[in-house]
Amino acid sequence: MPDEPVDVLIVGAGAAGAAFAWSLADTRMKIVCLEQGDWMSPADYPSTRSDWELRRFGDYGLSPNSRGRSEDYPVNDSESPIAVSNFNAVGGSTILYAAHFPRFRPGDFRVRTLDGVADDWPISYADLEPYYDENAQMMGVAGLAGDPAYPPKEVPLPPVALGRLGHTLARGFNKLGWHWWPSDSAIATVPHNGRAACVNLGPCLTGCAQGAKASTDVTYWPAAIRRGVELRTRCRVREITVNAQGMADGVVYYDAEGGECRQRAEIVVLACNGVGTPRVLLNSTSAQFPDGLANRSGGVGRNLMFHPYAMVTGQFPEPLEGYKGPQGCCIMSQEFYETDASRGFVRGYSFEITRGNGPVSTALQGLGTGDIPWGAGHHEGFDKSFDRTAGMVVICEDLPEPDNRVTIDPELVDSDGIPAPKVTYALSENSLKMLDHAVERGAEVLRAAGATETSAISPLPPAGWHLMGTARMGRDPEASVVNEWGRSHDVKNLFVIDGSLFVTAAAVNPTNTIQALALYVADAIKSNLANLFD
Amino acid sequence: MSDSRALDALLDTIIPPSADGRLPGAGAAGLAAYIDDVARNAPELTPVLELGLAALDARAGGRGAEDFASLDPDARAEVLEGLSPEQPAFLPLLSFHVYAGYYQDPQVARALGTRSAPFPDGYEVEPNDLSLLDPVRERAPLYRDV
């Protein structure tokens, strides 16, 4: 019966919700997950059709504001130079992510101690290490042991294909004596846990038809459901409700037909990402929590971190076979990761080498720039451009700032009438200096690799893939939203397990750390079951 | 489109066959059917195309030709170029769809060595040469231990 309370109610079936549900299912508690999206059908992913490149601008676009999918909610990001990117489905944004899967480094958890900025995390790399290892097995991480940029770590699967493009860029890094390493990638490079091996289709960012990319609909969810977790799709949560004692007692949600439903629960767990989680909390107002649930610190929604991105691209004289192989995963460099005061900014960045464009994207880009004209010069222009482009994205560490935040938009609502989030964000001077440095160094390594021309986009406007910091963890209830194992300081049966927890952002993709945190919180709950609400 | 001969001529003017014969012109590649499909799903495109094609025929007539399709390739390009001040939306809009459709076409993809739809076959990629990592392996740890 829908009104029967469940033991644990998880909101959101993405990276974090899936890992957490799978782990906590050990306890044989009654666990239900509500997801506003639906199951995806890999047979329908764009790479199965000839119009695959165009669908990045349509129903597989990055922005929920333009995709036209009914399961999405709008995000007012007009006051941010970086647009929010997400996806709503079983698997969440892992459906569209590149599956770039680096860990944080030990120093990323000790930024205040090392560099005197932001805050230290209440947990360390050592605390998360066993969960990174567990996640590597469950997601199937491909890479290579021995990277001097990291402590020794488990990498269960062989690295992705570097291809001619990766080898060309690697030689450029070697010429300059800079660090590079095959990217840790959540991609089955050999068959793994029932998943087929990667066949280098290319377009990972519009869903993997092969099932080689580790989106959680093909990794954790089947295993969690076998363990007894109930996953309800097309269920969009409006708010978390509280009882007279100030404890969470369930949620109100809308089903696929828009009908209002209630689900009671003993424990509520938010896994809606760094924008969706503060949205639910701020929409959950009551007499006891007039400023939003779990928000007595005033910290819910604050300290939003993206990773400021730039894209640096080079033109090469020879074909690079850049359309072959995982689009976002090839090699990465952490040469400029740690603070060097002489550079004029604190903290640092990673380079991630990306593959080249397909023919349609190349042609349309050339139409826009005039490099591929109509008429007599068409084929010459295309031949000069196609498969001769290689480049990288720069991923900068973003430091937390209270004024970068998620609030509730006063007017915008989703299709169920639930108030939508608004993002207010500005790039700091530190980030701008870091981006400038990275663009120069990026062009330098591309030239070393043989590029004849380079260009850059900085910052990269649609790059709001990583949503972090808006319900941060900490020991001080005045300065954090949840404690060191994800439990709300104010509401003792309410947990946060997604990127909202992050105290700082590091300069790598966050999904591996989001999932390691979700597994860590699940284990903390298991260890503290006897006195969970004390 | 009502006049496929005119449309084919226009498509071949936008993307002509390659000089080496490797790639067909957009008209010969059958892009007219793709443009028809696009126009069915985007009705605002139809009047732009019809007006544009009519204007091309009229301009060809002004040169003493029966219609646009009767002109030789160089003359077609001149006529098309001359239409832009009068109908500035026509060529950019049509070119977008022609480029998008042409490079999805299986015969074009084959000639380029790509696949129109990457799944299910994917691509063979050259084997990894991890000896390139030798200088990186020799470096001291790059991370700060805490």
Side-chain angles (χ1 to χ4, degrees):
Chain A
M1 294 293 292
D3 205 34
E4 286 296 304
V6 297
D7 297 317
V8 181
L9 181 69
I10 304 166
V11 186
F20 179 89
W22 170 80
S23 175
L24 203 67
D26 279 353
T27 61
R28 301 191 174 266
M29 291 194 285
K30 173 66 179 166
I31 302 170
V32 168
C33 179
L34 302 180
E35 165 55 50
Q36 63 193 318
D38 217 330
W39 286 94
M40 299 302 290
S41 169
D44 297 331
Y45 281 147
S47 67
T48 63
R49 293 174 24 172
S50 63
D51 64 353
W52 60 277
E53 291 186 80
L54 293 177
R55 290 177 74 190
R56 284 191 301 142
F57 307 106
D59 58 344
Y60 282 80
L62 294 173
S63 170
N65 297 333
S66 57
R67 263 191 311 252
R69 287 178 176 267
S70 62
E71 57 269 44
D72 285 327
Y73 57 90
V75 179
N76 179 353
D77 49 20
S78 60
E79 290 183 15
S80 170
I82 298 173
V84 168
S85 168
N86 65 9
F87 201 71
N88 293 295
V90 177
S93 301
T94 64
I95 299 294
L96 297 193
Y97 79 155
H100 220 295
F101 225 61
R103 300 180 181 198
F104 279 21
R105 295 167 32 151
D108 291 327
F109 298 89
R110 293 289 177 270
V111 173
R112 165 65 69 180
T113 300
L114 291 173
D115 293 320
V117 292
D119 287 296
D120 289 347
W121 290 53
I123 59 173
S124 67
Y125 180 86
D127 291 324
L128 283 191
E129 192 172 16
Y131 303 101
Y132 278 131
D133 290 345
E134 186 171 41
N135 202 41
Q137 292 294 339
M138 286 300 292
M139 295 291 275
V141 176
L144 191 67
D147 184 352
Y150 280 88
K153 57 182 162 68
E154 285 186 19
V155 189
L157 308 179
V160 295
L162 307 187
R164 191 179 296 170
L165 183 149
H167 290 131
T168 301
L169 272 286
R171 288 186 193 97
F173 280 100
N174 281 352
K175 205 175 275 184
L176 297 174
W178 290 359
H179 168 264
W180 68 276
W181 204 257
S183 296
D184 278 0
S185 312
I187 292 173
T189 46
V190 293
H192 182 74
N193 286 351
R195 284 157 50 208
C198 175
V199 289
N200 300 306
L201 298 174
C204 309
L205 272 65
T206 48
C208 180
Q210 175 77 351
K213 187 182 83 170
S215 48
T216 60
D217 58 329
V218 299
T219 59
Y220 279 107
W221 273 118
I225 289 166
R226 281 197 300 274
R227 288 180 169 196
V229 176
E230 181 190 348
L231 172 54
R232 288 184 211 153
T233 58
R234 302 302 290 242
C235 294
R236 180 183 273 156
V237 170
R238 185 181 76 198
E239 63 181 300
I240 300 166
T241 54
V242 290
N243 63 18
Q245 288 72 46
M247 298 284 274
D249 65 1
V251 303
V252 176
Y253 69 94
Y254 297 98
D255 63 19
E257 286 74 44
E260 186 176 313
C261 307
R262 169 138 176 81
Q263 176 61 59
R264 293 192 291 143
E266 304 294 338
I267 297 171
V268 175
V269 180
L270 283 176
C272 313
N273 79 41
V275 170
T277 285
R279 177 200 187 198
V280 172
L281 290 172
L282 294 170
N283 274 332
S284 302
T285 54
S286 61
Q288 297 170 82
F289 297 97
D291 300 322
L293 194 61
N295 194 25
R296 290 194 176 129
S297 67
V300 172
R302 291 193 181 273
N303 301 303
L304 171 68
M305 295 172 285
F306 297 118
H307 285 121
Y309 266 76
M311 181 180 281
V312 193
T313 306
Q315 294 297 320
F316 287 75
E318 301 296 331
L320 297 164
E321 299 191 340
Y323 53 89
K324 303 178 179 179
Q327 193 172 6
C329 295
C330 186
I331 65 175
M332 82 176 312
S333 170
Q334 295 192 337
E335 182 65 27
F336 302 101
Y337 198 90
E338 298 288 350
T339 298
D340 177 340
S342 71
R343 295 180 196 141
F345 55 86
V346 289
R347 306 299 295 161
Y349 57 86
S350 299
F351 288 127
E352 295 178 347
I353 304 307
T354 55
R355 313 262 174 179
N357 283 329
V360 171
S361 310
T362 302
L364 292 178
Q365 198 174 333
L367 176 66
T369 59
D371 290 336
I372 305 179
W374 65 271
H378 180 84
H379 294 290
E380 191 185 342
F382 183 85
D383 287 344
K384 272 188 193 162
S385 300
F386 177 60
D387 199 26
R388 285 163 170 79
T389 303
M392 61 186 68
V393 288
V394 171
I395 168 169
C396 293
E397 175 154 359
D398 200 1
L399 293 170
E401 295 179 51
D403 290 341
N404 285 340
R405 61 189 298 204
V406 176
T407 54
I408 299 300
D409 191 274
E411 291 166 14
L412 193 65
V413 295
D414 65 24
S415 59
D416 288 309
I418 306 172
K422 176 182 178 181
V423 168
T424 307
Y425 178 91
L427 288 159
S428 67
E429 281 300 311
N430 196 66
S431 291
L432 290 168
K433 286 179 185 166
M434 200 185 306
L435 283 165
D436 287 348
H437 186 273
V439 164
E440 282 184 25
R441 298 287 82 75
E444 189 179 343
V445 74
L446 287 169
R447 285 194 297 271
T452 51
E453 290 170 46
T454 64
S455 59
I457 304 171
S458 175
L460 190 62
W465 295 297
H466 305 159
L467 313 172
M468 302 166 287
T470 49
R472 68 199 306 195
M473 58 180 0
R475 292 198 173 83
D476 179 1
E478 302 293 318
S480 55
V481 176
V482 300
N483 72 4
E484 67 274 23
W485 42 285
R487 191 184 71 179
S488 159
H489 291 301
D490 304 339
V491 184
K492 306 282 190 207
N493 64 341
L494 174 65
F495 291 81
V496 175
I497 59 167
D498 59 49
S500 311
L501 292 173
F502 284 22
V503 178
T504 54
V508 292
N509 315 57
T511 304
N512 197 3
T513 301
I514 289 170
Q515 292 185 302
L517 277 168
L519 295 169
Y520 159 81
V521 173
D523 259 13
I525 289 175
K526 290 182 230 176
S527 305
N528 290 289
L529 269 182
N531 49 2
L532 194 59
F533 306 144
D534 289 353
Chain B
M1 292 291 96
S2 51
D3 184 349
S4 66
R5 185 167 157 270
L7 183 57
D8 282 347
L10 175 57
L11 293 170
D12 276 338
T13 308
I14 293 173
I15 301 185
S18 63
D20 59 8
R22 196 168 52 102
L23 289 152
L31 257 285
Y34 176 86
I35 298 296
D36 274 351
D37 272 353
V38 171
R40 256 194 300 280
N41 293 317
E44 68 278 6
L45 189 61
T46 304
V48 177
L49 289 183
E50 285 179 348
L51 279 173
L53 285 168
L56 291 174
D57 278 343
R59 283 169 175 264
R63 290 178 166 231
E66 189 183 335
D67 56 18
F68 178 73
S70 309
L71 295 169
D72 66 46
D74 287 347
R76 286 180 194 167
E78 282 172 28
V79 167
L80 184 55
E81 184 92 58
L83 184 65
S84 289
E86 186 186 315
Q87 297 195 26
F90 174 69
L91 189 54
L93 186 63
L94 182 61
S95 297
F96 177 90
H97 294 296
V98 174
Y99 280 35
Y102 182 81
Y103 287 101
Q104 290 181 40
D105 184 86
Q107 61 180 316
V108 172
R110 260 196 306 280
L112 295 175
T114 64
R115 300 188 196 285
S116 176
F119 185 82
D121 295 326
Y123 295 102
E124 286 289 329
V125 179
E126 64 186 35
N128 285 343
D129 177 5
L130 299 178
S131 70
L132 285 169
L133 279 169
D134 290 348
V136 188
R137 291 180 197 276
E138 287 167 12
R139 291 185 66 167
L142 289 158
Y143 63 93
R144 288 187 280 183
D145 217 350
V146 286

